[in-house]
Amino acid sequence: MATIAAGLFVSWNGPLLIPAATRLQGIFFWDLLVYLLEGLVFLVTGLQIRTVLDRLDPISLRGPLLAVLLTVAVVVIARFIWVFPATYLPRWLSRKLARRDPAPPWRQVFFLAFVGIRGVVSLAAALAIPLTTLAGVPFPYRDLILFVTFGVIVVTLVGQGLVLPGVVRCVGLGSHAAEEREREHAAELSARAEALNVVQNRLDRLAAEGRIAPEVLAILRARHHDRVGRLPRSPSDGFETASAVAELRSDLIAAEREFIYQLFREGKITDEARRRIERELDLEEAGIACKKEGGVEPPL
């Protein structure tokens, strides 16, 4: 959910409409906001479920438990009924869509339908039910709705979550995931190489126009060649070396950050200077984290 919110923030604002610093702060802000909201909802639900359990008669829990199981079955079956037609029917009706975005294998669609886990949205909807009606009487079956919602979340999170590895092995998604990851890495590598070519052409044009001093041009060319040299020749080339370099760079950044903090404690630099240096180190470390997630060395 946090990733979706951050992605919507970037997509809505556009990469060229706002400064980089503002965009980074916005993404971090949405991540933190979604994390706090989800934690708050689950905290309130935990307090509510204690009250609900106190009101329910332990002897009469058979009905609520049966309602939980029935709701889980309906949720899972309804998701299968919806996901498969929503995936394949538009591509059957539109050849243009099928060519632009081919239908995925049924194994991936099956896995998507199976992991229909209900979470914070269901909790928020259940908690939004008022305590009383307009007539002032308790809202009918509110405690039962809260109990069933909480039970469905527990069953889908714990029950379905525990069997996910077995489902992945049974439908053979391991090999498909490896192939998809390789295609993604190849596309990313191609995009990085093409972007660096654009930069090279731009730099050559500025140099031909005489708009860059020779010493500045030498620095920029050296940096550009260093970025080009960091790109692997193929998606499977140099991953182990790149991973080792990333780990070592993380250690070096940690050592540099500790030294800067020591200088600040000794009064040799101001707090503003320390924060500027730490921001640069944080950005570099974030680039290393992106490399570890994506598998392609970022040519920073």
Side-chain angles (χ1 to χ4, degrees):
M1 185 174 180
T3 304
I4 296 176
L8 290 176
F9 172 81
V10 175
S11 300
W12 183 79
N13 288 275
L16 304 178
L17 299 181
I18 58 176
T22 304
R23 186 165 57 251
L24 291 173
Q25 292 174 355
I27 294 175
F28 298 150
F29 168 78
W30 281 113
D31 288 342
L32 178 61
L33 180 61
V34 172
Y35 174 79
L36 293 177
L37 290 177
E38 289 180 346
L40 177 62
V41 172
F42 277 100
L43 177 62
V44 173
T45 303
L47 297 176
Q48 287 282 327
I49 198 63
R50 178 62 182 269
T51 304
V52 171
L53 291 177
D54 291 340
R55 293 177 181 175
L56 291 177
D57 187 1
I59 302 178
S60 61
L61 281 180
R62 179 180 178 181
L65 292 177
L66 183 61
V68 169
L69 297 179
L70 182 60
T71 306
V72 170
V74 171
V75 166
V76 174
I77 295 174
R79 188 169 178 87
F80 275 94
I81 294 175
W82 164 252
V83 169
F84 274 90
T87 302
Y88 293 110
L89 187 59
R91 292 168 174 83
W92 290 342
L93 298 177
S94 174
R95 295 183 178 180
K96 183 178 179 180
L97 176 61
R99 288 193 301 268
R100 186 177 70 250
D101 185 14
W106 70 268
R107 296 177 179 84
Q108 298 180 8
V109 181
F110 179 88
F111 184 79
L112 179 64
F114 183 81
V115 294
I117 299 174
R118 305 303 176 209
V120 65
V121 177
S122 300
L123 291 179
L127 292 174
I129 299 176
L131 296 176
T132 59
T133 63
L134 294 177
V137 298
F139 195 94
Y141 303 109
R142 184 179 187 275
D143 293 341
L144 179 60
I145 294 174
L146 290 175
F147 180 83
V148 171
T149 303
F150 187 78
V152 170
I153 293 173
V154 171
V155 173
T156 53
L157 285 177
V158 179
Q160 288 187 276
L162 290 176
V163 300
L164 277 182
V167 173
V168 172
R169 288 191 298 267
C170 289
V171 299
L173 280 178
S175 59
H176 290 278
E179 295 174 0
E180 182 179 0
R181 187 162 51 249
E182 185 176 352
R183 290 194 302 268
E184 180 182 351
H185 290 167
E188 179 182 348
L189 180 59
S190 176
R192 290 182 183 272
E194 293 175 3
L196 290 177
N197 289 334
V198 172
V199 173
Q200 180 65 50
N201 295 333
R202 173 68 173 172
L203 187 60
D204 292 340
R205 186 165 59 253
L206 293 176
E209 296 173 356
R211 298 167 57 182
I212 305 179
E215 58 274 13
V216 176
L217 180 61
I219 295 175
L220 292 177
R221 287 192 184 279
R223 180 178 180 273
H224 181 74
H225 291 324
D226 177 67
R227 297 181 67 194
V228 174
R230 292 188 184 186
L231 287 178
R233 297 182 179 180
S234 64
S236 59
D237 182 27
F239 279 168
E240 294 183 359
T241 302
S243 178
V245 171
E247 293 293 340
L248 182 57
R249 287 175 61 191
S250 299
D251 293 339
L252 296 177
I253 291 174
E256 185 176 354
R257 183 180 285 111
E258 181 65 26
F259 177 74
I260 294 300
Y261 181 70
Q262 184 64 30
L263 291 180
F264 169 71
R265 293 184 58 184
E266 295 174 358
K268 296 181 179 180
I269 59 174
T270 63
D271 183 56
E272 289 77 9
R274 177 188 63 84
R275 287 190 286 108
R276 285 194 295 268
I277 297 174
E278 285 191 343
R279 176 174 173 79
E280 295 177 1
L281 296 177
D282 291 340
L283 291 175
E284 184 177 357
E285 193 170 8
I288 297 175
C290 291
K291 181 265 168 187
K292 291 180 179 179
E293 294 176 0
V296 177
E297 175 72 16
L300 301 176

